[in-house]
Amino acid sequence: MSFVKNNSLFIRLVMMVSLALCPPILLSHFASSYFISKYGFEQAEQTVSNVAQLTAESPVVIEGMQTPKGDAWVQMIDFLRMLTSVSGVKFIVLIDMHGNRIYHPELQKIGAHIVGGDEGEALLGKTYISSARGTFGFSQRAFRPVYNESGQQIGAVVVGIMSREIEKSVSRLTSPMTWLFSLSLVIGLLLAVLLSRKIKKILFGLEPDQIARLLEERNAILSTVREGIIAINRNNRLVVVNEMAERILRSAGVQGELLGRPVQEVVPSTRLDAILKEGKPEYDREQNINGQIIMTNRSPIIIQGKTVGAVATFRDMTEMRALAERMTGLSNYAEALRSRSHEYLNKLHVISGLLRNRRYEELEEYLSQIIGSKIRETSSIKVNVQDPILAGLLESKFSRAHERNVTLTLGGSGVIPQLSPHGAHALVTILGNLVDNAFDAVSFTQEKHIDLSVHCENGTLVITVADTGRGIDEEHLPEIFRKGFSTKGAGRGIGLYMLLLTLDELDGSIEVDSHAGQGTSFTVHIPLAMLTNGGQA
């Protein structure tokens, strides 16, 4: 067994299939040989028994045994020779009551005692078959008593077939069978080799231990990825559900066993069945599972040109939004630092030049302008905004406005209080996208002016961002919040889409007022409690 275990899958399969084929083939061969041999000897015994009966009951033989000389004797000899030739037996021998031969095919042996020692029962009137070695060799012999007309036993007849002749007859029958079974065995071994090669090919030449290791590695990978992964077979039944997918589905209220169930029962809103049927992938699609929103990618599983299943990867939209918000916040912080660095570097160059040229009056006036502008911007932000993250965002936007020669004004009434981390990130996403879009809108206009207004009244935060850009065409207004829609080229159309998702999460709303050539105004309404209480009203 250790030899089998230490060999490759190919050798093990060949050996196992061979071991499965050889015993029944060999057993069939031995069984058929046994029954053919048994049948051959039974037929031989039947033949000698019939010939012995025919001889013992023949009047010619009875009369000839009683009159050893004369015509009856000659007729008996002719009859026995003819019967021997016709029946195919080796010999017919007649003996008297003393066991001496009355007739023998070899005339010189007539008168001598029969050889073999098995004639005793026949002289006592019994009929039987015996195996013994006579003058011709080992043979199967039938003994039968001979009676005269008055019923007195006058001797016995012995009819025999040589055992080697029976064996030759049996061999002539079993030899083709031997060749047939040998051929069957060879074909079985060839089929075992072909089957082993086929299985090896199906398994891509991998050994069982390699397959087991790959399965363990696959399960480990599926359990560690942060995305949910489900896969279905061609019958629309789930065959793969990793730990993250099960966690998301359970949180969405899905109960019971997952594997093996139709995907429509587990995820009623799924499109995996359509992907399986159409064979076309879908990327970055939102999906609602019992009220839980996920972002999913779906793709068919194609093997050798045939679609055999479909797979979906997905993540909870709440996590994705939080990640996007963090990334937006970091991007804004970096933008603020870059803008500040660039702005102050330019101003330092101006100050350095004024100093070198000893233009002290102009330097004093320039510094007054810088300090006064910053004091106004900073004081305006401090008056209206208490949250440091939002204040940092606004300062970065003022710096960027200076850099791009855009006039940015901040107005409004009421104070934005300290926000929760979730509320701050959400407001960064909303305000950052609106101001950035305003910057893009005024980039190609002569008048570059942006008004940012923040109002806090009756528990509602109202933000208005108005620009003097070219406005939005009327036919584009219904599409601006759709994911991927943009008139600015490929790879855009995400900002307003993320803004709308964030507003939905905060129970907020947005209004758009735009006229071609006159600019655009966005007004956002958000319950203040959603920003200060971690997203819980």
Side-chain angles (χ1 to χ4, degrees):
M1 292 300 294
S2 61
F3 171 77
V4 174
K5 290 181 180 178
N6 294 331
N7 278 284
S8 67
L9 177 63
F10 175 78
I11 295 176
R12 276 185 275 180
L13 287 172
V14 171
M15 293 180 64
M16 291 174 66
V17 175
S18 300
L19 289 174
L21 288 174
C22 288
I25 291 177
L26 293 176
L27 183 62
S28 299
H29 172 60
F30 291 139
S32 61
S33 298
Y34 168 77
F35 286 114
I36 289 174
S37 177
K38 182 180 179 182
Y39 175 79
F41 277 90
E42 287 177 350
Q43 286 297 107
E45 291 174 357
Q46 186 66 39
T47 299
V48 295
S49 179
N50 291 338
V51 173
Q53 180 181 359
L54 181 61
T55 303
E57 295 176 355
S58 173
V60 175
V61 173
I62 295 172
E63 185 178 355
M65 290 182 67
Q66 296 180 93
T67 55
K69 302 295 181 182
D71 293 337
W73 175 262
V74 174
Q75 290 177 6
M76 183 189 73
I77 292 176
D78 291 340
F79 173 74
L80 292 176
R81 287 176 176 173
M82 180 272 297
L83 186 57
T84 301
S85 175
V86 172
S87 64
V89 298
K90 177 63 178 177
F91 59 83
I92 301 177
V93 176
L94 301 176
I95 60 175
D96 59 19
M97 294 302 294
H98 300 289
N100 296 323
R101 302 185 186 102
I102 298 174
Y103 169 78
H104 193 282
E106 296 179 357
L107 299 179
Q108 68 273 18
K109 295 181 180 179
I110 296 176
H113 196 279
I114 189 171
V115 177
D118 53 349
E119 72 283 357
E121 297 291 325
L123 298 178
L124 296 177
K126 294 183 179 181
T127 299
Y128 56 92
I129 294 175
S130 173
S131 297
R133 182 178 294 278
T135 56
F136 292 107
F138 200 79
S139 61
Q140 295 292 112
R141 310 199 295 188
F143 287 84
R144 194 173 186 92
V146 181
Y147 298 93
N148 58 18
E149 292 82 354
S150 59
Q152 181 182 5
Q153 185 177 355
I154 58 176
V157 58
V158 184
V159 179
I161 295 179
M162 305 308 298
S163 295
R164 61 176 177 271
E165 294 297 329
I166 300 174
E167 292 171 355
K168 286 181 180 179
S169 299
V170 170
S171 178
R172 284 194 296 270
L173 292 174
T174 56
S175 181
M177 297 294 295
T178 301
W179 282 105
L180 178 61
F181 283 115
S182 299
L183 181 62
S184 300
L185 187 60
V186 172
I187 292 174
L189 293 174
L190 290 175
L191 290 176
V193 172
L194 293 175
L195 177 62
S196 301
R197 287 182 176 175
K198 181 67 175 178
I199 294 175
K200 190 78 171 177
K201 184 178 179 180
I202 293 173
L203 298 178
F204 300 101
L206 297 174
E207 296 296 325
D209 55 335
Q210 294 175 313
I211 296 173
R213 187 167 60 252
L214 284 175
L215 182 60
E216 291 175 355
E217 292 174 353
R218 189 208 73 160
N219 292 336
I221 292 171
L222 289 177
S223 64
T224 54
V225 295
R226 291 183 58 83
E227 286 193 334
I229 300 174
I230 62 174
I232 61 172
N233 58 17
R234 64 183 66 191
N235 297 320
N236 288 324
R237 292 188 176 271
L238 286 168
V239 293
V240 173
V241 180
N242 73 339
E243 291 183 10
M244 181 58 71
E246 183 172 1
R247 188 183 308 168
I248 295 174
L249 292 174
R250 296 300 186 200
S251 65
V254 178
Q255 303 294 327
E257 182 64 30
L258 300 179
L259 289 176
R261 290 173 61 185
V263 68
Q264 295 88 347
E265 291 183 6
V266 179
V267 188
S269 59
T270 185
R271 277 188 48 80
L272 276 181
D273 50 350
I275 298 299
L276 180 64
K277 186 181 299 183
E278 299 168 4
K280 297 179 180 179
E282 295 178 350
Y283 300 112
D284 300 327
R285 300 296 177 89
E286 285 188 44
Q287 184 176 350
N288 187 323
I289 305 177
N290 300 332
Q292 183 161 353
I293 308 300
I294 62 171
M295 179 68 72
T296 180
N297 297 299
R298 311 180 187 101
S299 180
I301 301 173
I302 300 175
I303 298 178
Q304 296 179 352
K306 295 182 179 180
T307 302
V308 299
V311 62
T313 61
F314 51 89
R315 289 195 70 173
D316 190 340
M317 278 297 293
T318 303
E319 295 181 4
M320 294 189 67
R321 288 172 189 167
L323 179 61
E325 289 164 3
R326 288 196 295 272
M327 294 299 294
T328 302
L330 290 175
S331 176
N332 286 324
Y333 299 152
E335 178 68 17
L337 290 174
R338 187 194 67 79
S339 298
R340 293 281 181 156
S341 174
H342 190 268
E343 180 184 358
Y344 284 122
L345 184 61
N346 290 334
K347 291 177 179 179
L348 285 173
H349 284 309
V350 174
I351 293 171
S352 176
L354 291 173
L355 282 173
R356 281 198 303 269
N357 294 317
R358 301 177 185 275
R359 307 288 294 273
Y360 300 122
E361 293 182 3
E362 289 86 346
L363 175 58
E364 184 177 356
E365 183 179 354
Y366 181 68
L367 288 174
S368 298
Q369 292 176 357
I370 294 175
I371 294 172
S373 175
K374 288 301 175 187
I375 289 175
R376 286 192 300 273
E377 292 172 2
T378 304
S379 62
S380 177
I381 293 172
K382 284 183 178 181
V383 167
N384 292 281
V385 181
Q386 292 182 354
D387 188 83
I389 294 178
L390 191 58
L393 172 70
L394 292 175
E395 287 191 16
S396 73
K397 296 306 179 185
F398 273 105
S399 297
R400 187 177 179 191
H402 285 304
E403 184 180 317
R404 300 180 63 165
N405 294 320
V406 175
T407 302
L408 175 62
T409 60
L410 175 62
S413 61
V415 177
I416 300 177
Q418 181 78 31
L419 306 178
S420 67
H422 178 75
H425 287 306
L427 206 53
V428 164
T429 299
I430 296 170
L431 195 55
N433 278 302
L434 290 177
V435 175
D436 286 343
N437 283 345
F439 280 137
D440 291 338
V442 300
S443 295
F444 303 101
T445 59
Q446 191 170 7
E447 182 183 358
K448 304 179 187 299
H449 190 84
I450 300 173
D451 286 323
L452 172 59
S453 175
V454 180
H455 296 276
C456 288
E457 51 186 31
N458 299 324
T460 301
L461 177 66
V462 182
I463 300 174
T464 302
V465 179
D467 62 64
T468 57
R470 294 178 295 185
I472 302 172
D473 292 338
E474 187 174 351
E475 65 269 19
H476 292 157
L477 279 174
E479 300 289 327
I480 60 174
F481 293 104
R482 182 170 58 83
K483 182 180 179 181
F485 175 81
S486 176
T487 59
K488 303 170 187 176
R492 306 292 296 270
I494 300 296
L496 289 179
Y497 168 75
M498 293 298 297
L499 181 148
L500 190 61
L501 290 179
T502 305
L503 284 175
D504 288 341
E505 196 173 86
L506 297 174
D507 293 335
S509 62
I510 186 169
E511 300 171 2
V512 184
D513 183 18
S514 182
H515 303 279
Q518 298 180 20
T520 303
S521 173
F522 289 89
T523 302
V524 173
H525 295 79
I526 305 172
L528 199 58
M530 298 296 292
L531 298 171
T532 57
N533 298 336
Q536 302 294 326

